[in-house]
Amino acid sequence: MKTGLFLYDTKSRNLLEVESSNESAVRIYCCGPTVYRDAHVGNLRTFLLADLTARTLNFLGHQTLLVQNITDVGHMSEDFEEDKLLSQSQLEKRDPFEVARDYEDRFHTDLARLNILKAKRYPRASESIDMMQTLITHLIENNHAYVGEDGSVYFSAESFPGYGAISGNKLTELKPGHRYEYSEGGAKRFHADWALWKAAGNRSEMIWDSPWGTGFPGWHIECSAMSMHFLGETVDLHIGGIDLRFPHHENERAQSNAAINNRELVSLWLHGEHLLFEGRKMSKSAGNVVLVADLISQGLDPLALRLALMENRYRSQMDLTWDALRSADKTLERWRERMAIWSQAPTAVADLTEIAQHLAQDLDLPKVLIALRALEKSVVSEGVKYATFMEIDRVLALDLNRPVVKKELSVEARMLLEARAIARTNKDFALSDEIRGKLEVLGVNVQDTAQGQVW
Ligand code: AMP
Ligand code: ZN
């Protein structure tokens, strides 16, 4: 069934219409977090992309079924030496599963703070070992995988003819010795093969029995196993950050398609561009990783992050700044104050055709926000403004009708408000406007209503 939503498919390099292969819901898989640390605002930009896609589909009248994995084993660090979770557990001197469950809880807390809807399921890699072993066995039987002399199981890249379609990295161009996969070395038959199952070697934690000996799963196989297990033999939409295009998604596609007779499992591959902060890539070593908790400690509403992220399109790299976050926070407060006023007028039906079109055209949220700002300033009735803002908040999810907690007025502001009320009674509008300007400088926003001025 067609949905009317067009998104950019990385594999075909085209805008494609999202279609649901199943009458009941659009099946979406989004690569989840590796739970060895807090998600930073960049990770959250990618998770927000899944939420905005699902909310837009809901807005356009479609049900969605979203599955997002929790990687708690098998994701090796960039230096290719150690499982990210085991390194962190050594650092924190805690059991790796305890570390994983803590960061997983914090991930859910952050999602809730950003009004990101819950996925239907969050399968954990460590609890899906059987599922992965079944898939690996199947790939060995189909001659797409082999057991190496080191007891690890490798996927044979050359056995999958379409390798490289997502990223453009063709097997013939991937040079031997190029370290694009952690299992470089080992007992691979071809340099571009990768491990589906890693022999434990001298590792003693986070290991499982298998038909090929004790070991642990590779990172890529978990997404193939889980997406097929929970979504079936067609995944309508697959989402992740742009860095996952290669090798993660390339390998995932090869594994999944090879398991279903080279049919295409995923209909559309959607990638979100990266987020920079104050002009730089966020990294632990550079010390510029920003978390939702940092925003809260700066007195900002976490939904200001949601708004700031929506000011940019998902396919553009975005540079987030503290100024942009503060400005988004102010906009949110202004909208909520106005909503409190507009809600007093009778509610009319809103026309959302234009907004729906912007969303349907590759999630053009900046245009949606421009349309909202134009509506805010327009002469249409307050009732229409209220109804339209409420309706579009189904996608924006900015809690636009949340009452603003009033801050204490300073003595100066209170005196100015009184003086302005008198000026308006005297119909001295020039003075009233001048005082409004002074109040704005103090951070007090005044509106005139039938019941008098409100701030
Ligand atoms: P990880 O927890 O590192 O596996 O990453 C979780 C998700 O965040 C993946 O989809 C990554 O592609 C994505 N991601 C990582 N860094 C950024 C960033 N700076 N901006 C946007 N997405 C990111
Ligand atoms: Zn994945």
Side-chain angles (χ1 to χ4, degrees), residues 29 31 69 223 248-249 252:
Y29 186 85
C31 290
N69 63 309
C223 289
H248 185 57
H249 289 162
E252 194 187 319

Side-chain angles (χ1 to χ4, degrees), residues 94-257:
R94 288 201 294 161
D95 179 79
F97 286 109
E98 201 183 304
V99 171
R101 299 300 170 255
D102 266 5
Y103 287 111
E104 185 181 330
D105 283 351
R106 293 157 76 118
F107 159 72
H108 288 298
T109 303
D110 283 341
L111 293 192
R113 283 165 166 164
L114 290 188
N115 273 350
I116 291 178
L117 293 174
K118 277 202 158 305
K120 181 81 176 163
R121 285 174 186 278
Y122 292 101
R124 295 173 178 143
S126 66
E127 292 170 0
S128 311
I129 302 292
D130 285 350
M131 206 189 287
M132 291 189 246
Q133 291 188 355
T134 305
L135 177 58
I136 296 169
T137 304
H138 183 56
L139 289 171
I140 295 173
E141 284 164 4
N142 286 355
N143 295 320
H144 284 290
Y146 58 90
V147 185
E149 280 162 15
D150 57 355
S152 295
V153 182
Y154 296 97
F155 188 91
S156 163
E158 289 170 307
S159 77
F160 180 68
Y163 192 86
I166 300 176
S167 62
N169 288 325
K170 298 281 180 300
L171 275 183
T172 45
E173 290 154 16
L174 288 171
K175 302 219 166 37
H178 175 70
R179 293 180 68 172
Y180 53 85
E181 179 56 30
Y182 62 82
S183 53
E184 186 61 33
K188 292 194 276 186
R189 292 180 190 156
F190 179 69
H191 62 272
D193 295 351
W194 65 90
L196 303 174
W197 184 262
K198 298 269 287 173
N202 50 17
R203 172 164 159 164
S204 60
E205 287 175 291
M206 291 190 140
I207 49 175
W208 290 263
D209 288 337
S210 85
W212 323 286
T214 315
F216 61 99
W219 173 39
H220 315 306
I221 195 71
E222 76 178 83
C223 289
S224 286
M226 293 176 187
S227 57
M228 288 195 278
H229 182 86
F230 292 110
L231 296 175
E233 287 206 354
T234 298
V235 173
D236 300 317
L237 183 57
H238 191 304
I239 304 178
I242 194 78
D243 57 311
L244 300 190
R245 218 171 15 170
F246 181 83
H248 185 57
H249 289 162
E250 207 65 83
N251 294 1
E252 194 187 319
R253 173 171 174 265
Q255 296 157 172
S256 306
N257 290 9

Side-chain angles (χ1 to χ4, degrees), residues 57-69:
L57 284 164
N58 298 158
F59 188 77
L60 297 174
H62 306 282
Q63 301 289 316
T64 48
L65 172 59
L66 172 66
V67 173
Q68 185 166 38
N69 63 309

